[in-house]
Amino acid sequence: MSPKPHPLAPLVGPLRYACARNFENLARVKGLRAPIEAALEKGKGALAPAVETALRAELGRVDATDPGVRKASVGRVADLLRGEGLEVGSLSSSRGAERQADPPGPATPPAGRPSGGGLRGAPVAPRPRKPRAPKKPAATKEAEDAPARMLSISPAEGPLARPLRGAGWRMNPQLLKHLERKGVRTLGDALFLVPRAYEDRRVLRHIAQLRAGERSTFVAEVRAVDESRGRGKRIFKAVLADASGSIAATHYQGGSWLKSRYPIGRKLVVSGEVRQSTWGWEIPHPETEPADDLETSAVHFKRVVPIYPGFERHEQRQLRELTFRVAKELAGAIDDPLPPPLRERVGLVGLADALTALHFPAGNADLEALEAHRSSAHQRLAFDELFFLQLGMALKRQGLKREAGIAFDVSAERVARAKSLLPFAPTGAQDRVLAQILRDMGRPEPMNRLLQGDVGSGKTAVALVAAAVAVESGLQVAVMAPTEILAAQHARTFRSGLAALGVEVALVTGSGPARERAQAREAAAAGRARVAIGTHALIQDPIAFERLGLVIIDEQHRFGVIQRHALMAKGATPDVLVMTATPIPRTLAMTLYGDLDVSILDELPPGRTPIETRVFPAKARPAALALIEGELAKGHQAFVVYPLVEESEKLDLADATQGAAQLGAELAGRRVGLLHGRMKQDEKDAVMRSFREKQLDVLVSTTVIEVGVDVPNASVMVVEHAERFGLSQLHQLRGRVGRGAARSFCLLFAGGRSEDAQARLEVMAQTTDGFVIAEKDLELRGPGELLGTRQSGLPEMVVANLARDQALLALAQEEARAIVERDPTLAEPAHRPLAKALAERWEGRLKLAGVG
Ligand code: ADP
Ligand code: MG
């Protein structure tokens, strides 16, 4: 006879799947309302009223079209399931699931196939937690060998630097080997491990006090074990009892190893979700540990105990003994590098106390705060993670400032003349940002500034004024663009903008006739060309300048942290202005660009008509075509973009070529051009030129970057397979239209039949604020995805969380900069421990983040 499952058990599979890896699959999970309703119906009377009410409240939100609303709702449902002791996987915060998931447990179901038989599948029992099979599946093995998640790097000297092996401590050799495989080598390393969860053993219930649906921990003796077969599976049952009653620990899919875990007559501490089945009380797949020392142990009982990620349950006890002893005997040996006044200002506990409480929280600890990494211990450690990164960047920023730079002439008169080169009056935001840039340029220290602004906010105009000031001071300007097309476009803008000053502008690219390229280089070297504009060619092949004073890097949609440093290293110490059109959330900007000063252009030039964005499912194509045709009939032009399919450039090209042909047929009589990455530069130039000169009505392009061009007459941006782009990318594309006064459109074609993709795309229709879209993207895809790659330069954080710890990060930056400003080499006695900790414990981390 099979046990009666928890009424909410059918939701476990879908929720697990939806939450996996920070909601990666959310878009593929649909129609959660129906199964929740069904579960509520089935659970009538069995569910706690509070749970029922809370779950009911989510019915209206869980399928919301707004992905943010939906994600939050799914997160709350998952929390409710967790509260019921059902295992739905990792936390819903922005930290990656890999880091908190329970490695030895069952793996997340593969994409597209939620566990539990799908959304409307048969009820399933809660997934077992960490079954210890005799033969481990490969995935589990891998997780077990994955490097341990440690806070920074433990001290290189002193008692904490002693290796585990040879410390003279009695340790299980198996555990020792496992620790070493995971990179935990010293006593200090053990202290720097971060628990994944905590188990509350302060109050142990009697069996008679247990309540169905609650996750609880109790101590009982093994009375009997029994193995049976049901539906081809081995079911293992152990009868556990205390003075008040008995309960069965059940393992579906048993194994011979279970017998050794439940030796008859042994006292165990058992933890899991209790339920009442048709044949009595049971606790399916509990976690167990020996409890013979219930009365005597100060380590394992009468307290909240840590559970470490990547270690099996039977190892937890031994590991806990190790961390307990290290914390007790050696935590005091660790120097707290933070000066006491700083700690006091920010309200942080001492490092030794934090590390001790991280493993062994105080008796009155708040379990929820612990698990959410919000305890005072976690906050202290999170601060350290954020602070040392900011300190590293502040030192670098200060170091650059102390180098001899160029003081440009930024007299009012000269600035006014530079501004007068613009064919329009600057916006308020442009004036404000220019004042910041020019103040930097006027100082004898090198400028190192980031200019953030949405596409079309007028960054190029700002750059032009800065360049004019530099040129008038007798220095050269280098402008680096991400693509040749953009470099050519900037060259045109700068040539016409600076024409009144009689300035020669050289276009330095990696392609084109060798003689022209050589001439451009020679003009820059001889100083004839006062402005050199180019792509990576500017830094790749060495180009000499006569007197380089200002470097402007237009990153557009890229986060080229690496290139930026390469150009800065070139020549003396020119002023550097990095422009990025990808609005990024504040916390990310501070983490990525903490060594820069940031200016923000948050106002669009006047006369813009907002772009109208519409999402079209594939079947609505005729309506979209009619709209395009209407715009073309008014004499406007259209861009059509195909996503870049990374695996296959050929496929990509076929897609676009075919798309261009199809469009040509659909828009009979219209001139359709094609631009793709495999064309030669002069071919690309020719196509771009004819589009700009209105000899083409429609430009079909394969990549995002190739369309980073300014064609004011274009009023329609069509994105094919829009679901394959991130929201921030779509925002970039959209910014390519709406540059003139005409009403413009952005039409997003959602491929396939996915309603969820369409729902995500609707965000684009709802807002045109790049910062709002970036926050959404961060929420939906996490920082790594938002920034494009893992090499984005974003350091990995173990305790800190960029989405949650905004205030803490701001404090960390403020404190770090204040210290470095006063003491640029950290030479004051009060700051020496900071320098030491930075070098000893954080250096490796900072290097990864591109600082150092
Ligand atoms: P970005 O580089 O930020 O994408 P641009 O500098 O290319 O933006 O400006 C976008 C468009 O707006 C250009 O056509 C530019 O001439 C125009 N523009 C910029 N600043 C102003 C302004 N203050 N008033 C009117 N038009 C402006
Ligand atoms: Mg621009």
Side-chain angles (χ1 to χ4, degrees), residues 39 66 92 95 110 139 156 170 237 240 359 372 427 471 476 510 517 544 603 701 711 724 766 837:
D66 181 324
S92 51
R95 60 194 70 243
R170 208 162 49 89
K237 219 185 275 182
L240 309 170
H359 298 279
T427 62
V471 167
Q476 285 173 295
R517 278 173 11 211
E603 179 188 342
S701 160
V711 180
R724 294 193 203 156
Q766 284 153 19

Side-chain angles (χ1 to χ4, degrees), residues 627-650:
L627 199 155
I628 299 170
E629 184 54 55
E631 285 300 296
L632 298 183
K634 282 185 225 158
H636 293 307
Q637 290 163 287
F639 288 110
V640 178
V641 178
Y642 279 81
L644 181 72
V645 181
E646 269 169 36
E647 312 87 69
S648 161
E649 208 180 316
K650 262 192 200 143

Side-chain angles (χ1 to χ4, degrees), residues 230-261:
R231 291 199 211 141
K233 281 182 188 165
R234 285 158 81 179
I235 300 173
F236 179 92
K237 219 185 275 182
V239 179
L240 309 170
D242 66 7
S244 74
S246 71
I247 187 168
T250 45
H251 292 263
Y252 303 92
Q253 274 160 355
S256 43
W257 57 274
L258 281 163
K259 279 216 175 80
S260 64
R261 211 166 95 183

Side-chain angles (χ1 to χ4, degrees), residues 422-428 430 451-463 489-490 493 554 556 579-581 601 603-608 710-712 735-736 738-740:
L422 298 177
F424 37 71
T427 62
Q430 281 170 324
L451 174 56
Q452 261 204 74
D454 236 326
V455 180
S457 57
K459 294 181 296 297
T460 312
V462 167
Q489 183 177 298
H490 279 323
T493 309
D554 185 357
Q556 291 294 350
M579 306 196 291
T580 168
L601 266 185
E603 179 188 342
L604 290 182
R608 299 283 168 82
D710 201 0
V711 180
R736 292 299 146 201
R739 302 205 140 202

Side-chain angles (χ1 to χ4, degrees), residues 585-624:
R586 209 170 101 84
T587 50
L588 284 186
M590 283 166 75
T591 309
L592 278 174
Y593 298 114
D595 54 334
L596 301 184
D597 298 298
V598 179
S599 293
I600 292 179
L601 266 185
D602 51 6
E603 179 188 342
L604 290 182
R608 299 283 168 82
T609 321
I611 302 163
E612 205 175 311
T613 301
R614 295 195 200 160
V615 183
F616 290 93
K619 62 177 189 294
R621 198 174 172 90

Side-chain angles (χ1 to χ4, degrees), residues 150-167 169 171 176 179-180 182-193 319 322-323 326 330:
M150 284 181 274
L151 283 161
S152 79
I153 293 129
S154 64
E157 51 187 56
L160 283 167
R162 267 153 58 202
L164 288 172
R165 194 181 285 275
W169 292 18
M171 274 184 63
L176 185 60
L179 282 166
E180 286 176 342
K182 291 177 81 64
V184 182
R185 301 215 163 74
T186 66
L187 295 175
D189 289 347
L191 191 61
F192 278 74
L193 281 174
L319 183 51
L322 172 67
T323 55
V326 178
L330 302 177

Side-chain angles (χ1 to χ4, degrees), residues 93 221 407 648 836:
S93 70
E221 195 185 293
S648 161
K836 188 160 168 266

